[in-house]
Amino acid sequence: MIKAITIPEAIEQLEELRAGDMVQLSGTIITGRDAAHRRITDFLDRNIPLPFQLTGQGIYYTGPCPAGPGKIIGSCGPTTSSRMDSYTPRLLNLGLKFMIGKGQRSHEVIEAMIRNKAVYFAATGGAGALIAECVKKAELLAFEDLGPEAVYRLEVANLPLITAIDCLGNNLYETGPKHYEYSAD
Amino acid sequence: MREINISAITETVAELCIQACYNLSDDVIKLIEAAREREESPFGARILEQLLENIDASRRTQLPLCQDTGMAVVFLQIGQDVRITGGSLEEAVNEGVRLGYRKGYMRKSVLDPLSRINTGDNTPAVLHLEMVEGEQLKIIVAPKGFGSENMSRLAMLKPSDGEDGIRSFVLDTVVNAGANPCPPIILGIGIGGTMEKAAYLSKKALLREAGKPNPDPKTAALEQELLQAINDTGIGPQGLGGKTTALAVHIDTYPTHLAGLPVAVNIQCHSARHAKAVL
């Protein structure tokens, strides 16, 4: 069963999702990866207002290819989330509601997710062209000088995701592989 | 003596960069299809299906397979009876990368390691030169994404560690990598030589037709044994659990020093991109 979720309308439904739930997400998300996270943190340290809202938002860890002529966006699959781990608890404490990326998160991130009732989705790494087809609109939001690492606002339709870590801390990256590990007995 | 002008090299490198980032070769597609048939995990099966759909989407939309269009690793096999004319060979290759990444709307991911300032055109390439007999120039472009490159490792094992040591180092590397290199992966393993030779062998092993065994039966048996052990870890597609963690294991060996046993494991994601041409 695949659950269709539209945000921000159904943002409260995210808390009901459990690790392993397959989702098709529609609505607005922002992008940001390594350099954008570094800059967000720097702005927060220096009390400079952010050029966009984090509260109630979802962030997608991606650095797209440049859009060719007539294209909305280039290939835009997820990047490895763990590189954002050291920055993430702070963003969650500011109200970040969900994250989309790939791969394990740190203990600190999961603790902050439980505290703030946030959700972490896995998108399929390497499916950049397929994911680009789900992007209906892309606009530059901030940090243009970061090039492929700039922050964009994306409007997505039916983005295929798997709930990897839910707001209770259930973690498919732990339970999934254990279930399929070969044991001799 | 045959003369090859650098303009032909630039043009070919540009074309190969685009080809590699937009087309996955049939050997890899076949392995993903076979894995999808076998996969027991519903998440795993859905992910493998998406990878196959992504290949169609890439063709349909004319977008690169993956947004990480990599750092361009370029292998040149230069016939010793070839004379390069018209300028610098290295600059010709870099110009090809520059052109290809611009024309193909591929991501420019290359930057200074310390200042982190992007060079803006995905250069320089990583260039590997090899002199061979004859009067041809073979060019292989293998763009390497860093989700998988970051999880690669090298160990200077002790001779007493032997094959068991190699097995546990390889498995440990794969388990430690977990979801990060976008499994299902292909493993290039270099055993022997010196430190840099082992790393070079591991990268070069990735160029082999995916799933084709090493010609040496004992090495081929080790490849199969490791493939089985890796798929028994349960890591699965994207690390969310399943029977498909690796599509293939390629080992290449080289004689080494009596005091050492270098082992390099280069992890390649399922987007195992490379394209070649002969001038």
Side-chain angles (χ1 to χ4, degrees), chain A residues 20 22 33 63-65 68-69 71 75 77-78 80 102-103 124-130 132-133 160-161 173 176-177 180-182, chain B residues 41-43 46 50-51 54 57-58 60-61 63-67 105-107 179-180 182 232-234 238-243 270:
Chain A
M22 300 197 215
R33 51 173 294 159
C65 284
K71 303 266 199 270
S75 193
T80 305
K102 68 175 178 86
T124 298
L130 190 69
E133 281 195 303
L161 304 173
Y173 287 109
Y180 292 97
E181 189 181 357
Y182 175 79
Chain B
S41 147
F43 308 118
R46 186 180 186 225
Q50 282 179 8
L51 298 184
N54 185 60
S58 166
R60 190 168 56 236
T61 58
L63 293 178
L65 289 156
C66 177
Q67 77 290 342
Y105 292 92
M106 277 112 76
R107 199 177 78 190
N180 289 355
C182 289
D232 283 345
T233 59
Q238 297 291 317
L240 294 169
K243 294 291 183 191
H270 56 83

Side-chain angles (χ1 to χ4, degrees), chain B residues 1 4 8 37 40 45 51 56 64 76 87 96 100 117-118 151 153 166 182 185 195 221 251 268-269 274:
Chain B
M1 206 57 149
I4 296 179
E37 297 307 312
E40 295 168 17
L51 298 184
D56 291 338
L76 292 183
I117 294 170
N118 200 304
M151 307 318 290
R153 293 202 304 191
I166 295 171
C182 289
I185 53 178
M195 185 190 78
I251 300 177
Q268 168 68 60
C269 63
H274 41 89

Side-chain angles (χ1 to χ4, degrees), chain A residues 6-176:
Chain A
T6 303
I7 45 155
E9 292 81 1
I11 194 94
E12 299 303 324
Q13 276 182 31
L14 298 185
E15 292 178 22
E16 294 158 24
L17 290 173
R18 291 297 165 260
D21 284 346
M22 300 197 215
V23 168
Q24 280 191 333
L25 187 80
S26 302
T28 306
I29 53 178
I30 61 173
T31 70
R33 51 173 294 159
D34 309 54
H37 276 74
R38 202 176 313 133
R39 188 158 306 169
I40 290 170
T41 303
D42 180 53
F43 273 37
L44 295 174
D45 283 344
R46 293 168 23 196
N47 284 319
I48 303 172
L50 292 179
F52 45 85
Q53 269 274 338
L54 283 177
T55 315
Q57 291 282 341
I59 197 164
Y60 177 30
Y61 305 139
T62 186
C65 284
K71 303 266 199 270
I72 296 167
I73 196 167
S75 193
C76 57
T79 194
T80 305
S81 307
S82 62
R83 289 197 317 272
M84 268 49 81
D85 279 354
S86 59
Y87 307 108
T88 300
R90 197 164 177 190
L91 306 195
L92 290 168
N93 292 343
L94 288 171
L96 183 70
K97 195 67 194 167
F98 65 95
M99 300 150 293
I100 303 170
K102 68 175 178 86
Q104 247 320 357
R105 305 309 302 262
S106 68
H107 179 70
E108 289 74 16
V109 169
I110 297 172
E111 287 296 304
M113 284 174 60
I114 298 170
R115 261 198 327 273
N116 296 289
K117 294 189 174 168
V119 178
Y120 172 53
F121 294 106
T124 298
L130 190 69
I131 292 172
E133 281 195 303
C134 302
V135 177
K136 301 305 167 193
K137 208 174 145 191
E139 56 172 332
L140 181 75
L141 200 54
F143 311 153
E144 187 176 7
D145 60 301
L146 298 181
E149 299 197 61
V151 174
Y152 285 82
R153 179 187 284 125
L154 305 185
E155 211 177 288
V156 298
N158 303 318
L159 183 65
L161 304 173
I162 297 173
T163 312
I165 306 176
D166 62 33
C167 69
L168 301 176
N170 298 306
N171 186 350
L172 192 60
Y173 287 109
E174 300 288 342
T175 55

Side-chain angles (χ1 to χ4, degrees), chain B residues 199-212:
Chain B
Y200 176 68
L201 286 174
S202 72
K203 179 74 76 199
K204 229 181 138 189
L206 293 173
L207 303 178
R208 198 194 298 169
E209 183 189 326
K212 193 178 168 191

Side-chain angles (χ1 to χ4, degrees), chain B residues 98-169:
Chain B
R98 202 171 281 133
L99 269 175
Y101 275 72
R102 191 168 62 218
K103 232 175 97 186
Y105 292 92
M106 277 112 76
R107 199 177 78 190
K108 287 78 179 172
S109 310
V110 176
L111 41 71
D112 181 275
L114 297 178
S115 75
R116 310 303 291 180
I117 294 170
N118 200 304
T119 62
D121 58 9
N122 220 51
T123 68
V126 172
L127 190 53
H128 296 297
L129 298 173
E130 210 176 300
M131 290 297 278
V132 294
E133 281 183 13
E135 49 174 34
Q136 287 184 327
L137 173 64
K138 189 173 177 186
I139 306 177
I140 304 171
V141 176
K144 190 65 167 74
F146 261 53
S148 56
E149 192 72 358
N150 274 338
M151 307 318 290
S152 303
R153 293 202 304 191
L154 183 137
M156 303 303 283
L157 298 181
K158 291 193 279 291
S160 61
D161 292 330
E163 274 194 33
D164 279 346
I166 295 171
R167 278 187 205 99
S168 47
F169 175 64

